[in-house]
Amino acid sequence: ISQFDNYHIIKLTNYQITPMTNKEIAYAFDDLANLMELHGEDEFRIRSYRNAYLALRKLDLPLATLPDEEIKSIKGVGNAIAGKIRELVDSGKMANLDKYREKTPLGVQEMLEINGFGPKKVRQVWQEMAIESVGELWYACNENRLVEYKGFGLKTQEDLLKKLDFFQKSRGKLHLDAA
């Protein structure tokens, strides 16, 4: 039996909790960076979390087995990020990530999953156009409403429609980077 909690963080296999993988930990930092950028937070912190994501996803040794001092010795991982790694390893959650998830509508979080549609554009459609879901975004594109806003020309809108179609078609399918 394999079951994931709503954050895809803790895996239950044969009723035993298995430690988070480095990729799962890394993706938590990528999610945090995206959500912070979406909310217009400090660029230095966002860059730190993105660098942690890049460093952790390629790490060979399982973070769950490393002592804190070894975690801190990883390039781009300081005390604050090491503390968040320890929090994820110990509890399967990160309070800071949970805080940003709670204050971001689920539909907006889902828009961040559209390949090639980053936090800056998601923030723009959310805050300037009051679009809070992938479905609303699709309708706005089909009704040519996005072209009325700065940074969204007809070509950008058509490109976004293609990305939305791919996103909808590939939903629920296993992607190679998740395998």
Side-chain angles (χ1 to χ4, degrees), residues 75-151:
K75 185 178 181 196
V77 175
N79 289 335
I81 290 176
K84 286 173 177 43
I85 292 169
R86 182 56 53 206
E87 184 181 356
L88 281 167
V89 167
D90 291 347
S91 71
K93 295 188 182 247
M94 185 191 319
N96 205 20
L97 179 58
D98 290 344
K99 177 183 89 172
Y100 282 99
R101 283 181 172 152
E102 286 171 17
K103 68 182 192 177
T104 309
L106 287 175
V108 174
Q109 292 179 50
E110 188 179 30
M111 284 191 280
L112 288 170
E113 296 173 23
I114 299 167
N115 194 22
F117 193 58
K120 289 177 184 165
K121 288 289 188 190
V122 172
R123 179 174 60 217
Q124 186 178 4
V125 299
W126 177 33
Q127 293 179 349
E128 292 179 21
M129 303 173 209
I131 294 173
E132 292 193 359
S133 73
V134 172
E136 289 175 37
L137 183 59
W138 185 83
Y139 279 113
C141 287
N142 279 302
E143 294 171 353
N144 285 325
R145 287 189 278 145
L146 268 58
V147 296
E148 300 168 12
Y149 293 89
K150 185 179 180 187

Side-chain angles (χ1 to χ4, degrees), residues 9 20 22-33 49 53 88 94 97 101:
I9 297 218
M20 290 179 68
N22 292 355
K23 272 189 175 181
E24 291 168 326
I25 294 168
Y27 281 118
F29 283 98
D30 190 45
D31 286 348
L32 179 58
Y49 294 137
Y53 160 72
L88 281 167
M94 185 191 319
L97 179 58
R101 283 181 172 152

